[in-house]
Amino acid sequence: MRVVSLVPSLTEAVAVSAPDVLVGATDWCSHPADLDVTRVGGTKNPKVDRILALAPDLVLANEEENRAPDLAALRAAGVEVLVTEVRDVPQAFRELDRLLDACGATPRPRWLDEAEDTWSSLPAPALRTTAVVPIWRRPWMVLGRDTFAGDVLSRLGVDHLHATHEDRYPRIPLDDLLAAAPDVVVLPDEPYRFTADDGPEAFPGLRCALVSGRHLTWYGPSLAEAPRVLGAALRAACR
């Protein structure tokens, strides 16, 4: 079995579960830190010829991270493409089971059992807070409806204020974000790399939580520690 992954979180999941099958990954696949496979370009602009040269049995993709024309080109060349769809935490576990089984990762990896146990045993939040969750600036974009990251936050007691917006990642003017007056502004370090010097200054007078994008948006081994890591960042901001 030869597998190419076009999704960073799926790359990590396969690399720690069935490392011998992974032969290619994107330039953005940063975990595990010692990952040593052929790089095939970005998630949005993979080099199809380079992927085909690896003669993969399976390419892993995601319906919102990868472009349909690239996946169609791979299929037209005779490559099997497995496309995941992840909109909430339970669906993440179902899709991880599906793709790891397709990659021959049996028995079920221990990290996946531990991650599912962690999420299924979360205590009910004692207090709920409201948030806006920018994922980009210039223009400002935030989490909207039906997103994995939004479900992660909801399970941790954070209700983001654009959860019912008609768009999944709406563009919202900064003045409107400020006027929403959330309890906290959640600023992940991906896809836009918000930092202490780039992001909080736009929200004077509001609490800002700088959080790990890997723990907020990735569905893979990071799921096991995500509640602890994100919870600590959120509590620190709301003190």
Side-chain angles (χ1 to χ4, degrees):
M1 169 70 74
R2 296 172 61 80
V3 175
V4 172
S5 173
L6 302 181
V7 184
S9 59
L10 301 185
T11 297
E12 183 180 18
V14 175
V16 303
S17 306
D20 292 341
V21 308
L22 192 66
V23 297
T26 75
D27 300 341
W28 297 104
C29 293
S30 57
H31 287 73
D34 60 352
L35 183 66
D36 183 18
V37 296
T38 299
R39 301 296 176 156
V40 297
T43 57
K44 303 295 186 186
N45 56 345
K47 300 183 184 302
V48 173
D49 57 343
R50 190 175 297 175
I51 296 171
L52 295 177
L54 292 171
D57 300 296
L58 182 66
V59 172
L60 304 177
N62 175 262
E63 47 97 22
E64 68 177 5
E65 287 203 47
N66 306 116
R67 300 186 319 127
D70 296 320
L71 305 185
L74 291 168
R75 290 191 176 104
V79 176
E80 181 179 357
V81 180
L82 187 157
V83 181
T84 59
E85 178 182 309
V86 177
R87 304 294 177 88
D88 57 35
V89 172
Q91 191 176 26
F93 289 117
R94 292 195 299 271
E95 290 288 68
L96 285 166
D97 271 326
R98 181 168 73 99
L99 76 91
L100 289 174
D101 182 67
C103 293
T106 55
R108 193 178 199 245
R110 178 177 295 180
W111 67 261
L112 189 53
D113 290 332
E114 292 174 351
E116 194 158 20
D117 289 345
T118 295
W119 282 96
S120 64
S121 61
L122 280 182
L127 178 68
R128 300 200 70 85
T129 58
T130 60
V132 295
V133 189
I135 58 166
W136 203 259
R137 67 184 301 177
R138 306 182 193 94
W140 288 95
M141 298 174 66
V142 300
L143 291 186
R145 64 167 178 85
D146 197 24
T147 66
F148 171 74
D151 188 56
V152 165
L153 290 172
S154 179
R155 291 168 188 271
L156 298 177
V158 179
D159 301 314
H160 73 92
L161 297 178
H162 298 91
T164 59
H165 195 283
E166 63 180 356
D167 296 328
R168 296 186 65 219
Y169 302 102
R171 296 184 180 189
I172 307 293
L174 180 58
D175 286 347
D176 291 350
L177 297 180
L178 294 170
D183 297 322
V184 63
V185 180
V186 179
L187 297 169
D189 60 11
E190 63 174 81
Y192 186 91
R193 188 172 180 79
F194 288 106
T195 68
D197 299 320
D198 186 355
E201 83 289 342
F203 301 93
L206 293 177
R207 296 183 178 95
C208 291
L210 292 165
V211 303
S212 161
R214 175 170 170 261
H215 291 96
L216 180 62
T217 66
W218 287 32
Y219 33 92
S222 58
L223 278 169
E225 60 185 14
R228 174 180 59 81
V229 173
L230 294 172
L234 292 165
R235 287 191 298 272
C238 293
R239 276 202 287 262

